[in-house]
Amino acid sequence: MHRRLFTLATLAAALPQSLYGMTPDLAGAASAAAVMHVSTLLEQDPATVIAELVLAEAYKRLGLGLEVHKYPGERSLVSANDGLMDGELYRKVGMERDYPNLIIVPVPLQMYEIVIFTRDTSFIVNGWESLRPFTIGFVRGIKIVEASTVGMRTEAVPTMQQALQKMAMGRTDVVVGNRASGLAAARALKMDDIRVLAPPLAAFPVYHYVHRKHEALVPRLTAALQQMQKEKVMERIQRQVLGELLSAPGS
């Protein structure tokens, strides 16, 4: 079971019954209720699983289902902004500046930590500028990485596994991305020599966005997520998902 950590179905099945009862069977929800179709990056990682489980429960409380569609790079945000999707699963604050049709749901889903992954490259981390001498791999579509490495040598790829594989082949010196995503990808690839340099380059909360056609949902969705915070539902989901990651073979 642990080898299939990144599939939502497997993770949901691994949750204790008390927690599993909070999260709907997404396939069943699609036929039982109106469904919100939201986009996210192609990457399969624990942060996405956490966001999907949290929002599935929040929408369930509103009588709605959730279906997540995964797209490479910019296509995820463009699809949500253009109204082809009902929203974006999770992003950092401020996305509405470049994607004006997106409305933030002002309750953080989780903290997102950007770190440097390396094999045999070691250096003192002093902000983004410390990356300039190196060739940097990252997952295409992660806006903070794209914006912070302008003018540097970069290799953008669709998934974290591909980024780590390129580093293993010597195509890049380092990989920059979400801590949990990178650790999960390294375990899946059995790359035991991957190290995380400290300190993190950035740490920030991430939020759900909906297309403005669903603006009326925002107050109700905000209230549902705030109630889930009080009930520690979000905390339990995150602890369970990350616990599965850390207890996987090779941890």
Side-chain angles (χ1 to χ4, degrees), residues 22-87:
M22 300 182 307
T23 57
D25 179 316
L26 297 184
S31 60
V35 178
M36 290 289 287
H37 294 266
V38 304
S39 54
T40 193
L41 291 174
L42 193 62
E43 186 74 74
Q44 292 272 15
D45 67 52
T48 299
V49 173
I50 289 167
E52 189 167 350
L53 288 170
V54 167
L55 287 169
E57 170 62 14
Y59 277 115
K60 179 184 175 184
R61 294 182 180 207
L62 303 185
L64 297 169
L66 174 69
E67 187 170 329
V68 176
H69 302 260
K70 296 184 176 179
Y71 295 115
E74 186 80 2
R75 187 178 166 194
S76 175
L77 278 165
V78 170
S79 296
N81 186 67
D82 289 351
L84 300 176
M85 292 283 110
D86 295 311

Side-chain angles (χ1 to χ4, degrees), residues 106-187:
V107 181
L109 302 180
Q110 59 187 300
M111 289 297 296
Y112 200 87
E113 195 174 40
I114 300 292
V115 299
I116 301 168
F117 299 94
T118 182
R119 296 178 74 211
D120 49 19
T121 301
S122 186
F123 57 96
I124 296 173
V125 179
N126 184 23
W128 292 94
E129 273 300 309
S130 58
L131 292 170
R132 191 168 291 279
F134 307 103
T135 301
I136 307 151
F138 69 95
V139 176
R140 185 180 294 111
I142 300 181
K143 292 297 180 181
I144 187 172
V145 179
E146 291 178 349
S148 300
T149 56
V150 171
M152 300 184 192
R153 289 174 293 157
T154 59
E155 287 274 347
V157 295
T159 70
M160 178 59 79
Q161 287 196 19
Q162 290 173 326
L164 293 180
Q165 287 169 328
K166 275 198 170 188
M167 183 169 64
M169 293 186 294
R171 295 280 298 275
T172 60
D173 300 309
V174 298
V175 170
V176 174
N178 175 255
R179 180 190 293 272
S181 173
L183 293 176
R187 283 170 173 78

